[in-house]
């Protein structure tokens, strides 16, 4: 053996070889009998006591070796180390060496001393037979082979040489190749067996490792032969298909093996047909990868690797968690998280599928539904309650979801319905009436009863020409019209709405350009003293002359500017122009400008006004700021802060349209005001309705108690003016009774004329006194 092999593996193999020396004691016993019989026979033949002693010695040697072997048997080889193996190898070699040397000595004695042909023949024959047996029994130890050959060979060769016969000497020399060949054969057998055992051990280790790896895979594995029968199946495969370890799968058809799980009720029968069909496709090579379901909650993904005619290897894994995760991701991608309804993108896909399957002459309809004043719910009850209201409405809306209607939430409080098959307009009206009636009404949210109404816009079109994007735009236009008609209704799209939409979009584009290029103009409505003899100031009002549509009402373009978020840019232009013009008026006159809700939410307006006053050198006292209640509701604290800063700079602050809002009185205390502008609603029918006069006088008295100056707007008739004068209800009058809004040049001429007239009137009393 290779003494350099000190690894645990080599030591184990060496131990097995040394152990082989101590086995098969029957051959050792047979050899002892042959040796004893031979030496005893020679003793009786030639009556030489040497052979009797040799016979006894060979028996005792066998006895001692046999006892030593029995002792070896009792040892625990599992804890043997290399030195233990070497120790017992040497003990065996010593016994072999003594036995072989005894046989060699007997041969030498026969050749040199006895010189009896029978003695020579039988002793040499038995010794040579023992030498040959080395190949079959003693090859396990190289040292043992060498010692046996040397111990037997050397005395025998010495006997041939000492016979002094040339032929005997030749025979002695010819024994040397025989002995060397025997040694070579024994070593060859040992090396061959060593390599075989080593290879077998390595194969066993690899097989064990492969088996360990195979059965600890996270994937299941079936290796099939060319006929689809199982060659290898790992533990994970058995677990997946609920096949017990006691079942021998080798040689079974795969489908037959899987039926075991079905028979045990662990694989539902309704899934087995799909499993069988999928496996057939994989084994046949029609598919390389496939998903299959083994029960309601389990998905397996198979991969096939074909080995030609040798069969196929199927690996698979449980992808149930991945499938569920993909479902959740798909749910998030396709459905609204709050209501569970299809979102915008998935709704469009569903509608596209419906349209693709519909008849060309089929009518379809799209409805956009909006909750009236939903912002008020969020502002008063909070967004959580608002979300609960949306969920409750979606639950009612979901009752309409079917093959005949698709429902969706696009965001906010906007819900969209698609009806793929509508009979006619009457059918559509009946359906929408039912939808609006069902969705509207009372909802119980956080123990509060909320009554909500809905507005909806609907469009109907032929499926052959239906385009979801165009239908949505048209439904939005119809919704806008429904809200314009005082909400709580639904409106069917008409072509005129489309024209109005196009006009509205054109106005938006042109309005932005007009504000950017300062193309807007101002007119000024005079404000007079109650006697109408003197102009005290004017309100600057924006006007827009569209190059194609002509004059556009402020009631149209100002809401557009607010919607587009450019109302502050419009205000900045008005401030700059009005302040510049006012600087050219007589010093006793002021100009009044209006600020929007957006202006009062941004401190930029303070610097804009300050810069305009600096550029025109206009005293801040000649600028009056007007604000409306609607402009204060978004952020009253921020608005109060900005107005206080403007008031501190010296400007007058007036609340416009006073008396029309539910909280107007509270603003008198909250805001830094010095003027109140009473709404025209108090003036209309003033002479016919005594109740209105009482209200007007009450508001005037309250305001004067707070030290506020009174402006009354909307005065149009002489009777109204007389009543206001007689009751001392105004400090400043504004209205058509004295003048409509006029251009800058006309106002300047009027202001100049009245100013001169007023000066002359003041001068006459002075001359008379002189």
């Amino acid at each position: 053996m290779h003494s350099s092999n000190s690894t645990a593996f080599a030591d184990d193999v060496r131990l097995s070889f040394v152990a082989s020396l101590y086995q098969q004691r029957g051959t050792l016993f047979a050899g002892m009998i042959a040796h004893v019989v031979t030496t005893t026979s020679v003793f009786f033949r030639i009556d030489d006591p040497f052979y009797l002693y040799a016979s006894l010695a060979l028996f005792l040697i066998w006895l001692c070796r046999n006892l030593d072997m029995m002792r070896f048997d009792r040892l625990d080889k599992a804890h043997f180390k290399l030195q233990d193996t070497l120790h017992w190898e040497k003990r065996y070699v010593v016994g072999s060496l003594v036995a072989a040397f005894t046989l060699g000595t007997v041969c030498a004695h026969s050749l040199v001393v006895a010189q009896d042909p029978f003695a020579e023949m039988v002793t040499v024959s038995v010794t040579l037979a023992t030498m040959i047996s080395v190949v079959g029994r003693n090859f396990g130890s190289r040292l043992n082979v060498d010692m046996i050959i040397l111990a037997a060979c050397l005395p025998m060769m010495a006997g041939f040489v000492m016979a002094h016969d040339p032929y005997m000497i030749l025979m002695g020399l010819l024994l040397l190749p025989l002995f060397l060949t025997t040694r070579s054969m024994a070593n060859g057998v040992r090396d061959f067996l060593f390599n075989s055992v080593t290879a077998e051990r390595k194969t066993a280790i690899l097989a064990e490792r492969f088996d360990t790896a195979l059965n600890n895979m996270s994937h299941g594995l079936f290796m099939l032969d060319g006929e689809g029968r199982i060659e290898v199946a790992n533990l994970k495969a058995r677990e997946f298909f609920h096949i017990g370890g006691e079942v021998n799968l080798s040689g079974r058809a795969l489908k037959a093996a899987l039926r075991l799980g079905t028979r045990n009720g662990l694989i539902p029968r309704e899934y087995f047909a799909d499993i069988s069909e999928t496996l057939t496709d994989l084994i046949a090579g029609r598919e390389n990868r496939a998903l299959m379901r083994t029960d309601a909650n389990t998905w397996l993904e198979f991969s096939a690797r074909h080995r030609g005619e040798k069969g196929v290897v199927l690996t698979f894994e449980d992808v149930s968690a991945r499938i569920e995760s993909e479902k959740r991701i798909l749910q998030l991608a396709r459905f609204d998280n709050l209501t569970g309804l299809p979102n915008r993108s998935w709704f469009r896909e569903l509608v596209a599928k419906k349209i693709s399957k519909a008849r060309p002459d089929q009518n379809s309809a799209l409805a956009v539904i909006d909750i009236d004043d939903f912002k008020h719910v969020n502002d008063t009850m909070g967004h959580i309650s608002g979300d609960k209201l949306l969920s409750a409405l979606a639950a009612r809306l979901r009752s309409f979801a079917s093959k005949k209607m698709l429902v969706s939430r696009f965001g906010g409080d906007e819900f969209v319905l698609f009806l793929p098959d509508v009979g006619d307009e009457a059918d559509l009206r009946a359906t929408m009436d039912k939808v609006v009636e069902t969705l509207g009404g009372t909802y119980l949210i956080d123990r509060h009863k909320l009554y909500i109404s809905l507005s909806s816009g609907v469009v109907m079109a032929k499926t052959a020409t239906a385009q979801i994007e165009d239908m949505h735009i048209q439904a939005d236009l119809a919704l806008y019209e429904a809200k314009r008609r005082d909400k709580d209704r639904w409106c069917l799209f008409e072509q005129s709405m489309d024209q109005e939409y196009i006009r509205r979009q054109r106005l938006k584009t042109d309005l932005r350009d007009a504000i950017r290029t300062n193309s807007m103009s101002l007119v000024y409505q005079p404000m007079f003293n109650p006697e109408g003899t003197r102009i005290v100031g004017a309100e600057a009002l924006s006007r827009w002359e569209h190059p194609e549509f002509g004059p556009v009402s402020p009631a149209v373009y100002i809401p557009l500017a607010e919607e587009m978020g450019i109302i502050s840019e419009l205000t900045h232009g008005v401030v700059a122009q009005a302040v510049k013009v006012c600087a050219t008026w007589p010093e006793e006159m002021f100009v009044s400008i209006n600020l929007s809700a957006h202006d009062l939410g941004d401190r930029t307006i303070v610097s804009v006004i300050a810069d305009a006053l600096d550029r025109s050198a206009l005293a801040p006292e000649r600028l009056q700021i007007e604000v409306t209640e609607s402009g204060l509701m978004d952020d009253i604290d921020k608005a109060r802060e900005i107005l206080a800063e403007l008031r501190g700079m010296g400007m007058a602050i007036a609340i416009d349209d006073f008396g029309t809002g539910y909280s107007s009185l509270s603003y008198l205390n909250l805001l830094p005001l010095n003027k109140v502008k009473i709404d025209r609603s108090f003036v209309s029918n003033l002479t016919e309705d005594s109740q209105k006069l009482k209200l007007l006088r009450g508001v005037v008295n309250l305001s004067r108690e707070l030290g506020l100056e009174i402006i009354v707007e909307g005065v149009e008739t002489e009777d109204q003016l007389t009543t206001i004068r007689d009751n001392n209800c105004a400090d400043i009058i504004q209205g058509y009774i004295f003048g409509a809004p006029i251009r800058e040049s006309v106002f300047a001429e009027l202001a100049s004329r009245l100013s001169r007239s007023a000066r002359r009137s003041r001068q006459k009393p002075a001359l008379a006194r002189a």
Side-chain angles (χ1 to χ4, degrees):
M1 295 193 53
H2 301 284
S3 59
S4 62
N5 248 338
S6 58
T7 64
F9 177 77
D11 293 348
D12 186 48
V13 175
R14 183 160 190 167
L15 175 60
S16 67
F17 272 40
V18 171
S20 69
L21 299 176
Y22 286 86
Q23 296 170 358
Q24 298 181 356
R25 295 169 200 166
T27 58
L28 193 65
F29 176 74
M32 181 273 296
I33 295 299
H35 298 159
V36 170
V37 169
T38 299
T39 53
T40 304
S41 299
V42 173
F43 167 72
F44 285 115
R45 173 68 181 262
I46 62 174
D47 193 24
D48 186 344
F50 172 80
Y51 293 99
L52 185 60
Y53 298 142
S55 175
L56 180 61
L58 289 170
F59 173 77
L60 292 175
I61 292 170
W62 169 82
L63 181 61
C64 291
R65 293 181 68 188
N66 196 60
L67 292 174
D68 208 37
M69 289 179 179
M70 293 172 65
R71 183 181 176 191
F72 179 80
D73 290 341
R74 291 191 295 269
L75 296 176
D76 184 6
K77 318 300 188 301
H79 298 92
F80 259 42
K81 297 181 180 178
L82 178 60
Q83 54 266 34
D84 297 321
T85 303
L86 295 176
H87 170 74
W88 283 98
E89 181 181 9
K90 291 175 181 177
R91 289 173 70 101
Y92 185 87
V93 170
V94 169
S96 299
L97 177 63
V98 172
F101 185 75
T102 301
L103 287 175
T105 302
V106 169
C107 288
H109 181 82
S110 299
L111 292 170
V112 176
V113 178
Q115 293 186 353
D116 179 77
F118 174 77
E120 293 174 354
M121 179 186 69
V122 294
T123 55
V124 170
S125 297
V126 169
T127 302
L128 290 177
T130 301
M131 294 293 302
I132 294 173
S133 70
V134 170
V135 177
R137 190 184 187 286
N138 296 289
F139 64 86
S141 170
R142 182 188 297 274
L143 178 63
N144 188 45
V145 170
D146 290 342
M147 291 299 100
I148 290 176
I149 291 175
L150 288 174
C153 177
L154 292 179
M156 191 185 305
M157 291 181 65
F160 277 112
V161 172
M162 291 174 65
H164 301 294
D165 185 336
Y167 295 101
M168 296 293 281
I169 295 173
L170 178 62
M171 289 300 298
L173 294 176
L174 289 176
L175 287 176
L176 183 60
L178 175 63
F179 296 152
L180 293 176
T181 301
T182 301
R183 179 177 181 274
S184 176
M185 289 172 61
N187 290 336
V189 170
R190 183 185 60 257
D191 291 342
F192 173 77
L193 291 178
F194 179 83
N195 292 333
S196 297
V197 171
T198 301
E200 183 179 349
R201 293 288 181 90
K202 288 181 177 179
T203 301
I205 291 173
L206 289 175
E208 182 180 358
R209 291 174 180 173
F210 174 75
D211 189 63
T212 301
L214 193 66
N215 289 312
N216 284 280
M217 288 172 59
S218 60
H219 289 56
L221 178 142
F222 286 115
M223 181 180 290
L224 309 180
D225 61 18
E227 296 180 355
R229 297 185 178 278
I230 299 174
E231 291 181 333
V232 176
N234 68 353
L235 289 177
K236 188 63 70 173
R238 290 177 177 269
E239 291 175 7
F240 275 134
F241 290 98
H242 310 289
I243 302 171
E246 72 281 358
V247 179
N248 183 14
L249 293 179
S250 181
R252 282 181 182 264
L254 179 58
K255 294 178 187 178
L258 299 187
R259 283 197 185 93
L260 295 174
T262 307
R263 292 194 193 108
N264 295 333
L266 299 172
I267 300 177
R269 294 183 181 277
E270 59 267 26
Y271 295 108
F272 187 78
D274 291 337
I275 294 173
S276 180
E277 182 179 350
T278 303
L279 288 175
T280 300
D281 291 339
L282 288 168
I283 295 170
R286 289 188 289 271
E287 297 286 348
N288 291 322
R289 202 174 189 87
L291 271 176
M292 67 173 65
R293 197 171 188 176
T294 59
D295 58 46
N297 301 312
T298 306
W299 289 86
L300 301 181
E301 184 176 45
F302 271 76
S303 296
R305 183 179 295 276
H306 291 269
R307 302 183 295 155
E309 296 181 355
K310 295 181 179 180
V312 62
V313 176
L314 300 177
T315 57
F316 55 93
E317 61 177 325
D318 188 343
V319 293
S320 305
R322 191 190 79 195
I323 295 297
E324 288 302 314
S325 177
E326 289 174 354
K327 285 182 179 178
R328 287 193 296 270
I329 292 172
L330 197 60
Q331 176 76 16
L332 292 174
R334 289 180 170 179
F335 294 88
D336 174 54
N337 191 41
L338 176 65
T339 63
L341 295 176
N343 59 19
R344 182 190 300 263
S345 59
W346 181 231
F347 177 77
R348 290 181 184 276
E349 288 188 36
L350 294 175
V351 169
K353 290 179 182 177
K354 290 286 186 182
I355 290 176
S356 66
K357 296 177 181 179
R359 303 184 311 274
D361 61 339
Q362 186 173 305
N363 288 324
S364 59
L366 184 81
V368 177
I369 299 176
D370 212 28
I371 302 175
D372 294 333
D373 300 318
F374 179 68
K375 183 176 183 297
H376 181 68
V377 176
N378 279 335
D379 291 342
T380 57
M381 297 184 63
H383 288 276
I384 294 177
S385 295
D387 288 346
K388 290 180 180 179
L389 174 60
L390 292 174
S391 297
L393 187 142
R396 292 190 186 182
L397 187 59
R398 198 176 287 110
S399 65
F400 293 100
S402 64
K403 293 182 179 179
K404 294 184 178 181
M405 186 182 296
L406 297 174
V407 298
S408 171
R409 179 187 178 222
F410 272 29
D413 62 331
E414 181 182 3
F415 294 87
V416 181
L417 284 69
F418 180 74
L419 291 78
D421 191 3
V422 180
D424 52 20
E425 187 173 320
D427 182 25
L428 176 61
R429 289 186 180 278
T431 300
M432 286 307 302
D433 287 342
K434 183 178 180 182
V435 169
V436 172
E437 181 184 355
T438 302
L439 297 183
T442 302
Y443 289 80
L444 184 63
I445 305 296
D446 293 333
R447 293 178 297 198
H448 295 284
K449 286 185 178 181
L450 292 180
Y451 180 83
I452 70 165
S453 62
L454 300 134
S455 297
S456 177
V458 187
V459 61
M460 186 167 68
K462 291 291 184 184
T463 305
T465 59
Q467 294 290 332
I468 185 65
E469 292 81 6
D470 295 340
M471 292 179 74
H472 193 195
I473 292 172
Q474 292 168 346
D476 274 336
L477 294 175
L479 172 64
Y480 177 79
E481 183 64 21
K483 286 183 175 292
R484 192 183 68 79
R485 295 179 187 176
D486 202 21
K487 306 176 182 177
D488 194 16
R489 66 181 67 237
W490 69 273
C491 185
L492 185 63
F493 172 79
E494 298 174 2
Q495 199 60 41
S496 60
M497 298 178 189
D498 201 11
Q499 296 168 357
E500 176 62 25
Y501 171 75
I502 294 173
R503 181 177 183 274
R504 182 181 173 85
Q505 295 303 110
R506 171 73 182 278
L507 285 176
K508 283 185 176 181
T509 302
D510 294 345
L511 177 60
R512 188 183 297 276
D513 290 340
I515 293 175
R516 181 176 53 83
T517 58
N518 295 319
S519 301
M520 312 289 287
S521 62
L522 292 181
V523 294
Y524 301 88
Q525 185 169 23
M527 295 182 181
F528 283 78
N529 62 355
E531 292 74 22
T533 58
R534 179 171 58 88
I535 296 177
V536 296
E539 181 178 4
L541 301 168
S542 174
R543 293 294 184 265
W544 182 27
E545 184 79 17
H546 192 277
E548 181 179 340
F549 303 137
V552 181
S553 170
V556 173
Y557 71 77
I558 287 180
L560 280 180
E562 291 176 341
E563 180 183 329
M564 297 165 63
I566 59 174
I567 187 65
S568 291
E569 297 176 31
L570 176 59
T571 303
H572 298 170
V574 170
V575 169
Q577 188 174 349
V579 168
K580 181 179 178 182
V581 169
C582 183
T584 65
W585 298 345
E587 291 185 359
E588 67 271 15
M589 294 183 186
F590 66 84
V591 67
S592 183
I593 58 176
N594 292 277
L595 298 186
S596 69
H598 193 276
D599 297 324
L600 293 174
D602 186 355
R603 291 199 70 264
T604 303
I605 190 64
V606 177
S607 59
V608 168
I609 293 174
D611 291 345
L613 292 174
D614 289 342
R615 284 194 302 270
S616 62
L618 183 72
E621 293 78 10
R622 296 182 62 191
L623 179 60
Q624 176 176 292
I625 304 298
E626 294 188 19
V627 295
T628 62
E629 180 182 341
S630 62
L632 299 167
M633 290 184 65
D634 289 345
D635 190 342
I636 183 66
D637 294 330
K638 188 66 173 289
R640 182 175 62 239
E641 180 184 335
I642 291 173
L643 291 175
E645 189 169 353
L646 294 175
R647 173 75 186 272
M649 294 167 63
M651 288 164 240
I653 309 297
I655 184 168
D656 196 8
D657 301 333
F658 183 78
T660 60
Y662 70 91
S663 59
S664 293
L665 289 176
S666 66
Y667 289 146
L668 298 181
N669 179 54
L670 288 172
L671 300 176
L673 303 174
N674 49 11
K675 291 186 181 182
V676 171
K677 196 171 188 180
I678 296 176
D679 187 68
R680 66 182 66 247
S681 62
F682 285 85
V683 178
S684 63
N685 299 324
L686 181 64
T687 56
E688 293 86 3
D689 189 348
S690 60
Q691 188 73 16
K692 280 198 173 182
L693 179 59
K694 292 178 181 178
L695 286 173
L696 176 60
R697 291 172 62 181
V699 171
V700 169
N701 291 335
L702 175 62
S703 299
R704 282 188 173 145
E705 285 290 329
L706 295 174
L708 302 176
E709 193 174 358
I710 309 300
I711 303 172
V712 178
E713 64 176 341
V715 182
E716 299 181 354
T717 67
E718 196 69 41
D719 291 340
Q720 291 172 350
L721 180 61
T722 301
T723 302
I724 291 172
R725 283 175 180 170
D726 293 345
N727 289 276
N728 191 24
C729 287
D731 300 307
I732 297 173
I733 298 291
Q734 179 181 347
Y736 279 30
I737 183 67
F738 289 136
I742 54 179
R743 295 193 306 273
E744 174 191 340
S745 59
V746 177
F747 178 84
E749 182 181 348
L750 175 63
S752 179
R753 185 171 68 250
L754 290 178
S755 181
R756 288 195 301 270
S757 176
R759 283 197 298 272
R760 284 196 299 269
S761 297
R762 287 194 298 271
Q763 290 172 356
K764 286 180 180 179
L767 290 172
R769 285 194 301 271

